[in-house]
Amino acid sequence: MGKRVAVVLAGCGVFDGSEIHEASAALVHLSRGGAEVKIFAPNIEQRDVVNHLKGSPTEEKRNVLVESARLARGNIQDLAELKASEFDAVIFPGGFGVAKNLCSWAVDGKNCTVNEHVNSTLQAFHSAKKPIGLCCISPVLAAKVFPGCEVTIGQDKNVDGRFPDAETASAIAELGCKHICKNVNESHVDKANKIVTTCAFMCKAPLHEIFDGIGTMVQEVLKLA
């Protein structure tokens, strides 16, 4: 019987929601791994709505759950309904929506607050010793909620210009967590906390390398489950 995995989205689109390629990659690898997947998102208003052609905010108002439904092909539930007891693991793809909608990292950095349902979901899986998978900027959620955990967002220096957000590693360390340097096609497993992380689009890399890196994260999550 396949593992039951919850996937939590943050909207639809890299600049104000979930990164579409990361969400798709996670779902493809979960499907290949024989997992039974259900998708969730918080029923809240997005922090902002970005015109992805121009890269600038608009005056629109959009709902995170409604926008996430685009990626879920309509088959999605309110995050408030997620029960950790019904799943073996949870995975959070990345995208600016994580830092804007699931928490306030985009504005407040390490002093951010985490959405109450995101926080309770993470706490519930952690307390039940069930694995948590996070990619791209999503590892900051674990860093904020679980002081002392180990995560990766790639490298802690902007190696060859490929890691423009490397300073995030310093903020993670300031939260009392350990940042582990990894390449884009790798993931890190914090065995003590059952947290698996990979950098994905925190690294400027070919799409297939990002896809493969997310695959290693998914595989490790399923092993731990």
Side-chain angles (χ1 to χ4, degrees), residues 20-187:
I20 293 171
H21 298 291
E22 292 178 10
S24 177
L27 293 170
V28 170
H29 286 297
L30 284 167
S31 175
R32 181 171 287 148
E36 177 186 334
V37 177
K38 289 191 178 179
I39 305 174
F40 297 83
N43 187 10
I44 56 175
E45 188 176 293
Q46 291 184 186
R47 178 174 289 276
D48 63 9
V49 177
V50 175
N51 179 324
H52 280 56
L53 180 62
K54 297 180 178 179
S56 56
T58 72
E59 296 300 315
E60 288 181 70
K61 302 292 183 185
R62 296 193 185 186
N63 178 280
V64 174
L65 178 59
V66 172
E67 291 302 297
S68 298
R70 294 173 179 270
L71 288 170
R73 297 173 60 86
N75 189 9
I76 195 168
Q77 293 175 260
D78 187 336
L79 183 59
E81 299 173 6
L82 195 163
K83 295 180 176 62
S85 60
E86 297 177 356
F87 295 91
D88 301 303
V90 64
I91 287 177
F92 289 75
F96 278 93
V98 172
K100 292 179 175 181
N101 305 325
L102 303 192
C103 70
S104 63
W105 188 278
V107 176
D108 303 317
K110 69 181 190 302
N111 298 315
C112 72
T113 56
V114 178
N115 171 275
E116 61 174 318
H117 295 302
V118 172
N119 183 69
S120 62
T121 295
L122 289 167
Q123 295 281 10
F125 278 86
H126 188 258
S127 296
K129 293 181 169 46
K130 294 180 178 181
I132 298 167
L134 307 128
C135 66
C136 195
I137 192 63
S138 292
V140 302
L141 296 172
K144 187 66 181 181
V145 176
F146 307 119
C149 72
E150 298 176 358
V151 299
T152 188
I153 52 92
Q155 300 290 323
D156 56 11
K157 295 181 178 60
N158 190 8
V159 182
D160 298 327
R162 298 175 70 221
F163 294 89
D165 301 303
E167 71 277 1
T168 304
S170 298
I172 286 169
E174 289 173 17
L175 286 169
C177 298
K178 186 174 183 180
H179 179 266
I180 310 296
C181 291
K182 290 285 183 178
N183 292 320
V184 67
N185 60 346
E186 300 175 312
S187 56

